[in-house]
């Protein structure tokens, strides 16, 4: 290790820091400074001092001390990062979170765990397994990497193909801001009010503050798992087989690839059973109900055979399965037997581009006379080319860095990302201008400054120091807003300005910013919304319609993504996807006439989030028109991408308050072979609660579970007697797994004395959009959502029924697995309504939840946000919309 001199902090600062953290837990000796100076990348920087806090309050005290003395700070977990993210910034206090390593709580009923950031990933898995649960993100470093570090880099792992990356499993977090305030973001329920700050922290590399407590989603262990080793004599055939598996709608739990150079390294170290003469091997997991495994594996076997697989071998027992996976998980360690140095490059490409990307890497390897072995999370297009070298040879090092640069540029040329899960850190900051325009980099910088005005939180990471000059906006027409706008866009039949291209939308927003004219973005208006105050000035809002942007731009079944413009209706998207055997598994509350832009802006996931994830989990990228007129793009057509802040996640649920959504990249899914809807009629809410509990805790869970109170049940077209409750379940999957789950629940329903109603497929297609839109589609004058932990949702539903019993026919609907109770209250004067609202607010608070209006943004918020969160939200809004021309966000997430 080369000698590096640490920047010394003044004595007064050291003494203040020591008081903040307690005796013996501030390290200033040279050895400690150097031990924390590196991670798994090549860069090094000694810490000015190292703090070892044990509580959130100690972290906050340290950060406040740094803010007072203008000292930068860098948070750190286990230091297993491969990008330089957790190494100290020059002159920084290194805040090590490894002493904050406790598992604080596990709630099987809520399927979540609360952990401190220093808890090791594998330790969490070991604590969950005896309870029948697991935490899905499983990076190869899980033996040592921490949950906080996984969050900071939005880590994935082998099984994120089926289950998703870290961001998809976050429910809430406690965060210390760069000013030393303590915030809570996220919370109970699938969809929460306000900006998705939790999604923004995922992958932010400690540059927006320090996460000190994390609530993660955990899942029931699958009933069974089967593992196969598939051997290929051609790298191209192996990668083509991967693309075809995805194109055919198969979603294994894991689909990994290793090529020949790394097969040799693994076998020397682990004897995992990979053949040394293979060009590549695939390691495939399928899991789920035991009755479905053989069908899935047989289909994958047939496809691999069609692509000239030499051998398809299924593990015969758990010991063999463990040996096969030990080789894959230990690949990085095995490389040490090949050479004294390596760079683990991390790029992502659309899955159908894997053959081309591997061909690029082979050509680069040969041209630079370097050994480059490939490990791939092949199923999601995430490659880890391992450039192997001798660091003592300066000529070879020069070739290594040139080759790494070309690998990154090749991925970008194929529509990919320069980092899928390792992060930008210090290593890839210089490549950010290759992926982002100057305008996009400037916005990323403004977002950073909104969270960290003093620039003290892990500076010198993720963003480049210098941002190139932004683009010049086209000249705008002169005159009043109305006259100038009509020179840019036409008016639709409703009299709304309707641009038909992105440049026109950008010009309209820039014109509004110039004139200080408020605007509101509207699509099909399928959800009720506040009335538009048309006219110039005096607080009036001019509506800008996105209905002119109505094309499906790019449908790629082999990548399981589709790119559509914001004005496309959901029904038209589903029709286009059906032609290739896919669909977008979201039931938006606005119904299928809703436009994609409106659905994304609302942030409401719908009932199918129980199986397919939240709305933000189905969005991988966006193109936006900023209020100042620039056109910006964030996200790519890849499952994994941690290049910069995930602004596409921030826009989900933003209610049109930050930018105009022009187009979105959506994750699609294969249409389920079997889709079945079953309804049960219950005489009491207690019967409904018991059936739902069984549905949500059995191993084969429904795709959706909805509970409808008597008034709501009478509106959806299923025959019910007066006063009866209705429980709806949707089942998706193979016939065997649907039948197994449905029959188990039928047995419970018989015991409870419930009436079963089988819903025909065509009736179900009409039924579910109506259910998803309750209570907004009713005559209620006030629609509300009460969010709380799933385990308390049915209890809250019963309490809400009591609280509103004196009102005229209140509409009650619940998605218990998602922690949501939706209510429609009749038209009443304020004096009559206020007691009911007070009771509902108390029900939410006593169950750890929130109460808000539906649809989001419709009227003043029912509750105010804590002051630090409100201030942060206002700064974030100003970073996007400095003139305030777009509506403000009425709901605050907390």
């Amino acid at each position: 290790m080369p000698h590096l001199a640490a920047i010394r902090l003044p004595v007064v600062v050291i003494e203040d820091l020591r008081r903040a953290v307690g005796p013996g837990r501030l390290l200033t000796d040279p050895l400690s400074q150097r031990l924390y100076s590196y991670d798994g990348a090549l860069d090094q920087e000694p810490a000015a001092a190292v703090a070892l806090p044990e509580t959130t309050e100690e972290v906050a005290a340290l950060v406040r001390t740094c803010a007072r003395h203008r000292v930068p700070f860098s948070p750190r977990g286990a230091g297993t990062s491969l990008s330089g993210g957790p190494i100290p910034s020059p002159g920084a206090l290194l805040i090590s979170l490894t002493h904050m390593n406790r598992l604080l709580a596990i709630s099987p009923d809520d399927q979540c765990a609360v952990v401190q950031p220093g808890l090791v990933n594998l330790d969490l898995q070991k604590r969950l397994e005896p309870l029948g649960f697991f935490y899905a993100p499983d990076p190869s470093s899980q033996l040592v990497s921490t949950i906080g570090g996984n969050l900071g880099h939005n880590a994935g792992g082998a099984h994120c193909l089926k289950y998703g990356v870290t961001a998809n499993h976050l429910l809430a977090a406690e965060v210390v801001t760069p000013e030393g305030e303590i915030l809570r973001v996220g919370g109970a329920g699938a969809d929460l009010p306000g900006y998705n700050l939790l999604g923004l922290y995922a992958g932010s590399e400690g540059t927006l503050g320090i996460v000190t407590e994390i609530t993660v989603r955990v899942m029931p262990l699958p009933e069974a798992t089967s593992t196969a080793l598939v051997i290929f004599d051609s790298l191209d055939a192996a990668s083509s087989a991967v693309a075809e598996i995805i194109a055919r709608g198969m979603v294994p739990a894991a689909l990994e690839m290793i090529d020949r150079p790394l097969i040799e390294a693994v076998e020397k170290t682990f004897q995992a059973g990979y053949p040394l003469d293979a060009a590549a091997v695939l390691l495939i997991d399928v899991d789920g109900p035991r009755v479905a495994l053989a069908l899935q594996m047989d289909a994958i076997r047939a496809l691999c055979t069609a692509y000239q697989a030499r051998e398809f071998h299924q593990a015969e027992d758990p010991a063999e399965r463990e040996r096969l996976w030990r080789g894959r998980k230990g690949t990085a360690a095995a490389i040490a037997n090949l050479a004294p140095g390596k760079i683990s490059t991390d790029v992502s490409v659309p899955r159908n581009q894997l053959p081309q990307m591997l061909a690029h890497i082979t050509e680069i390897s040969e041209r630079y006379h370097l050994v480059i072995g490939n490990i791939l999370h092949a199923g999601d297009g995430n490659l880890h080319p391992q450039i192997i070298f001798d660091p003592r040879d300066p000529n070879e090092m020069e070739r290594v860095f040139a080759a790494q640069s070309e690998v990154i540029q090749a991925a970008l040329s194929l529509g990919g990302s320069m980092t899928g899960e390792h992060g930008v850190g210090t290593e890839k900051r210089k490549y950010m201008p290759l992926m982002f325009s100057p305008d996009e980099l400037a916005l990323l910088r403004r977002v950073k400054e909104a969270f960290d005005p003093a620039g003290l939180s892990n500076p010198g990471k993720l963003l480049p120091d210098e941002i190139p000059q932004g683009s010049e906006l086209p000249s705008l027409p002169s005159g009043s807003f109305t006259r100038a706008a009509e020179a840019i866009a036409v008016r639709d039949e409703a009299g709304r300005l309707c641009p038909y291209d992105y440049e026109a939308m950008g010009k309209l927003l820039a014109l509004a910013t110039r004139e200080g004219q408020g605007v509101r973005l509207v699509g099909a208006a399928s959800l009720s919304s506040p009335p538009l105050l048309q006219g110039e000035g005096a607080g009036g809002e001019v509506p800008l319609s996105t209905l002119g942007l109505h094309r499906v731009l790019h449908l790629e079944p082999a990548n399981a993504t589709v790119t559509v413009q914001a004005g496309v209706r959901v029904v038209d998207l589903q029709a286009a996807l059906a032609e290739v055997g896919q669909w977008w598994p979201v039931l938006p509350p606005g119904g299928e006439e809703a436009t994609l832009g409106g659905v994304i802006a609302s942030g409401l996931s719908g009932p199918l989030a129980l199986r397919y994830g939240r709305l933000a989990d189905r969005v991988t990228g966006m193109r936006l028109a900023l209020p100042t007129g620039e056109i910006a793009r964030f996200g790519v057509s890849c499952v994994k991408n941690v290049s910069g802040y995930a602004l596409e996640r921030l826009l989900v649920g933003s209610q049109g308050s930050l930018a105009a959504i022009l187009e979105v990249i959506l994750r699609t899914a294969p249409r389920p072979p079997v889709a079945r809807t079953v309804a049960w009629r219950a005489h009491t809410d207690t019967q409904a609660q018991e059936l739902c509990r069984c549905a949500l805790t059995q191993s084969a869970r429904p795709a959706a579970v909805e509970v409808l109170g008597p008034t709501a049940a009478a509106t959806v077209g299923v025959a019910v007697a007066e006063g009866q409750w209705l429980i709806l379940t949707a089942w998706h999957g193979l016939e065997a797994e649907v039948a197994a789950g449905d029959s188990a629940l039928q047995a419970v329903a018989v015991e409870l004395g419930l009436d079963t109603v089988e819903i025909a497929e065509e009736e179900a297609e009409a039924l579910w959009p109506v259910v998803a839109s309750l209570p907004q589609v009713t005559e209620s004058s006030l629609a509300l959502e009460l969010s709380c932990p799933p385990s308390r949702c049915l209890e809250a539903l019963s309490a809400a029924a009591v609280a509103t019993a004196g009102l005229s026919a209140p509409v009650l609907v619940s998605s218990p697995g998602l922690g949501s109770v939706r209510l429609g209250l009749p038209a009443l004067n304020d004096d009559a309504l206020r007691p009911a609202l007070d009771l509902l607010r108390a029900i939410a608070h006593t169950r750890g939840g929130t109460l808000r209006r539906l649809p989001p943004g419709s009227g003043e918020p029912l509750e105010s946000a804590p002051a630090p969160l409100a201030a942060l939200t206002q700064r974030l809004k100003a970073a996007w919309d400095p003139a305030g021309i777009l509506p403000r966000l009425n709901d605050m997430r907390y």
Side-chain angles (χ1 to χ4, degrees):
M1 182 185 297
H3 174 71
L4 296 168
I7 298 174
R8 294 186 176 277
L9 295 176
V11 173
V12 64
V13 176
I14 293 292
E15 290 180 353
D16 283 355
L17 291 171
R18 188 164 281 126
R19 280 192 291 270
V21 79
R25 288 189 281 118
L26 185 75
L27 312 178
T28 58
D29 60 286
L31 178 59
S32 296
Q33 291 172 330
R34 295 184 63 188
L35 286 175
Y36 289 89
S37 69
Y38 59 93
D39 65 353
L42 297 181
D43 290 336
Q44 298 177 31
E45 181 69 40
V50 178
L52 306 172
E54 296 179 352
T55 66
T56 296
E57 290 70 25
E58 288 182 350
V59 173
L62 287 166
V63 170
R64 285 195 296 271
T65 302
C66 287
R68 188 165 63 252
H69 293 287
R70 307 287 293 182
V71 172
F73 58 88
S74 296
R76 180 185 177 95
T80 60
S81 162
L82 295 167
S83 62
I87 68 172
S89 301
L93 171 71
L94 191 288
I95 300 178
S96 172
L97 302 171
T98 53
H99 284 211
M100 297 177 66
N101 60 359
R102 291 186 297 143
L103 174 58
L104 300 174
I106 298 176
S107 175
D109 290 341
D110 290 322
Q111 298 195 0
C112 71
V114 183
V115 306
Q116 289 185 310
L119 182 68
V120 170
N121 183 296
L122 190 60
D123 290 345
L124 174 60
Q125 308 285 12
K126 290 178 179 178
R127 298 283 294 276
L128 290 170
E129 188 171 358
L131 302 176
F133 288 86
F134 75 109
Y135 175 60
D138 61 339
S140 296
S141 61
Q142 69 177 156
L143 181 65
V144 287
S145 67
T146 63
I147 301 296
N150 295 166
L151 183 153
H153 293 85
N154 198 19
H159 292 85
C160 79
L161 170 61
K162 179 176 181 178
Y163 294 108
V165 295
T166 299
N168 307 135
H169 297 271
L170 299 176
L171 299 176
E174 188 173 66
V175 181
V176 174
T177 73
E179 294 154 325
E181 300 275 5
I182 299 174
L183 297 181
R184 291 199 67 85
V185 295
D191 301 322
L192 296 169
Y195 293 135
N196 183 6
L197 300 183
L198 181 61
L200 200 60
Y201 278 108
S204 63
E205 302 183 22
T207 61
L208 305 180
I210 302 179
V211 175
T212 57
E213 182 183 293
I214 310 164
T215 304
V216 298
R217 180 166 66 104
V218 301
M219 306 175 70
L221 283 165
E223 182 182 356
T225 301
S226 181
T227 299
L229 179 70
V230 192
I231 302 164
F232 288 87
D233 293 323
S234 161
L235 189 60
D236 184 68
S239 57
S240 296
V242 169
E244 189 65 15
I245 288 170
I246 301 300
R248 294 290 184 90
M250 303 175 197
V251 186
L255 180 50
E256 301 288 286
M257 184 191 298
I258 307 173
D259 71 359
R260 177 172 291 161
L262 299 188
I263 289 172
E264 295 174 0
V266 167
E267 285 305 296
K268 286 180 182 178
T269 307
F270 295 107
Q271 296 80 52
Y274 305 162
L276 293 173
D277 63 340
V281 297
L282 299 183
L283 195 59
I284 303 174
D285 264 3
V286 296
D287 65 14
R290 195 178 305 277
V291 295
L293 291 196
L295 289 172
Q296 295 180 65
M297 197 61 90
D298 287 348
I300 293 171
R301 179 197 298 270
L303 197 150
C304 289
T305 300
Y307 276 85
Q308 292 81 49
R310 184 213 300 176
E311 183 180 346
F312 190 100
H313 172 73
Q314 284 184 247
E316 296 181 355
D317 52 43
E320 184 180 9
R321 179 174 182 270
E322 183 180 351
R323 186 178 73 249
L324 290 173
W325 274 105
R326 185 166 65 246
R328 168 60 187 90
K329 293 280 188 177
T331 305
I335 293 171
N337 290 324
L338 300 181
K342 76 171 176 74
I343 289 180
S344 181
T345 301
D346 164 53
V347 293
S348 288
V349 295
R351 287 172 279 210
N352 55 307
Q353 299 291 344
L354 274 177
Q356 294 88 330
M357 186 64 204
L358 286 168
H360 279 306
I361 293 171
T362 299
E363 188 276 329
I364 292 167
S365 171
E366 292 172 351
R367 182 156 42 85
Y368 283 101
H369 306 289
L370 292 168
V371 175
I372 304 181
N374 291 289
I375 319 168
L376 289 75
H377 300 301
D380 52 43
N382 186 201
L383 303 93
H384 297 316
Q386 308 290 306
I387 307 177
I388 300 164
F389 59 90
D390 185 344
R392 296 164 295 188
D393 183 344
N395 292 328
E396 188 172 46
M397 290 301 299
E398 186 175 334
R399 300 199 310 276
V400 165
F401 291 129
Q404 181 191 38
S405 177
E406 290 199 23
V407 167
I408 292 169
Q409 292 179 67
L412 296 179
S413 73
L414 295 172
S417 167
M418 66 182 192
T419 174
E421 61 182 351
H422 291 176
V424 177
T426 58
E427 181 185 71
K428 291 186 176 178
R429 286 200 306 151
K430 59 178 177 264
Y431 299 116
M432 287 286 280
L434 298 180
M435 187 162 177
F436 295 99
S437 72
D439 293 330
E440 292 158 357
L441 288 172
L443 179 57
L444 290 170
R445 173 69 67 188
R446 293 198 299 274
V447 168
K448 157 76 170 169
E449 290 170 351
F451 282 80
D452 183 20
L456 298 178
S457 189
N458 211 16
K461 315 293 171 61
L462 196 146
L463 295 175
D465 290 329
E466 300 295 330
I467 294 177
Q469 183 71 31
S471 59
E472 289 189 14
L473 292 174
S475 60
L476 300 175
S478 58
S480 68
F481 177 85
T482 300
R483 180 180 302 172
E486 290 177 345
I488 297 171
V490 300
R491 291 190 182 273
D492 64 11
E493 294 178 354
R496 302 174 301 190
L497 289 165
C498 186
Y500 282 83
D501 60 60
Y502 300 165
E503 182 182 0
M505 180 66 84
K507 283 185 175 182
L508 286 171
L509 292 175
L511 183 63
T513 294
R514 186 188 75 184
E515 301 296 320
Q517 172 63 54
V519 298
R520 184 180 290 268
L521 301 157
V522 294
S526 57
L527 287 173
S528 59
S529 58
L532 298 173
L533 304 175
Q534 298 192 36
E536 297 184 42
E541 294 176 333
V542 173
L544 300 185
S545 171
T546 61
L547 293 178
L549 307 174
H550 52 70
R551 290 185 297 146
V552 176
L553 298 174
H554 187 63
L555 198 165
E556 189 46 74
N559 192 45
T561 57
V562 62
T563 304
V564 298
Q565 292 185 316
V568 171
R569 297 181 305 163
V570 174
V571 64
D572 296 327
L573 169 64
Q574 300 292 26
L577 290 171
E579 294 181 4
V580 294
Q582 295 197 327
W583 70 316
W584 191 50
V586 174
L587 280 171
E592 292 207 322
E593 292 300 315
T595 56
L596 270 299
V599 170
I600 301 301
S602 78
L604 300 177
S605 299
L608 291 176
L610 183 63
R611 179 182 177 102
Y612 296 100
R614 297 163 294 190
L615 184 60
D617 300 333
R618 310 302 313 178
V619 177
T620 73
M622 289 185 189
R623 194 178 299 271
L624 311 166
L626 303 182
T628 43
E630 300 92 338
I631 307 301
R633 175 189 59 83
F634 297 98
V636 290
S637 297
C638 299
V639 176
K640 289 180 178 175
N641 170 36
V642 286
S643 302
Y645 303 123
L647 299 189
E648 66 277 8
R649 285 201 291 268
L650 184 66
L651 266 289
V652 177
S654 62
Q655 304 166 25
S657 66
L658 298 178
I661 298 173
L662 303 173
E663 67 182 49
V664 290
I665 306 172
L666 305 172
R667 292 181 62 191
T668 61
R671 293 193 69 84
V674 176
R676 184 175 302 159
T677 296
V678 182
W680 287 274
R681 292 183 287 244
H683 297 286
T684 66
D685 61 336
T686 303
Q687 288 178 313
Q689 288 184 28
E690 187 58 33
L691 186 69
C692 286
R693 285 195 184 95
C694 294
L696 295 170
T697 54
Q698 66 183 36
S699 58
R701 292 208 308 173
V705 177
E706 294 286 297
V707 181
L708 280 62
T711 303
T715 68
V716 296
V718 178
V720 291
E722 185 176 353
Q724 282 188 321
W725 291 67
L726 191 65
I727 304 98
L728 289 169
T729 59
W731 301 87
H732 293 171
L734 298 171
E735 176 61 43
E737 58 182 325
V738 166
D742 185 19
S743 62
L745 204 55
Q746 291 281 10
V748 175
V750 169
E751 288 183 14
L752 293 172
L754 304 184
D755 299 329
T756 303
V757 185
E758 187 82 28
I759 309 293
E761 185 175 350
E762 60 274 13
E763 293 174 352
E765 288 183 2
L767 170 66
W768 279 106
V770 174
V771 172
S773 296
L774 288 171
Q776 295 98 298
V777 298
T778 66
E779 296 295 323
S780 60
S781 66
L782 180 61
L784 305 172
E785 181 179 43
L786 189 160
S787 296
C788 64
S791 65
R792 309 199 68 182
C793 190
L794 293 170
E795 171 194 317
L797 177 65
S798 297
V802 173
T804 58
L807 305 181
S808 174
V811 179
L812 300 176
V813 188
S814 177
S815 304
L818 304 175
S820 169
V821 176
R822 306 188 299 281
L823 307 99
L825 304 184
L828 295 170
N829 60 53
D830 288 345
D831 290 340
L833 189 59
R834 189 172 293 113
L837 284 178
D838 289 341
L839 282 172
L840 291 171
R841 191 176 292 111
I843 291 168
H845 287 181
T846 57
R847 289 161 180 83
T850 60
L851 185 69
R852 66 161 166 173
R853 297 175 186 264
L854 289 176
S858 55
E860 291 300 311
L862 298 175
E863 304 182 73
S864 59
L869 183 55
L872 172 58
T873 301
Q874 290 164 7
R875 293 198 303 268
L876 193 56
K877 162 78 167 159
W880 289 75
D881 181 18
I885 62 165
L886 296 176
R888 68 184 179 89
L889 190 71
N890 284 341
D891 298 308
M892 301 294 187
R893 172 162 296 189
Y894 63 103

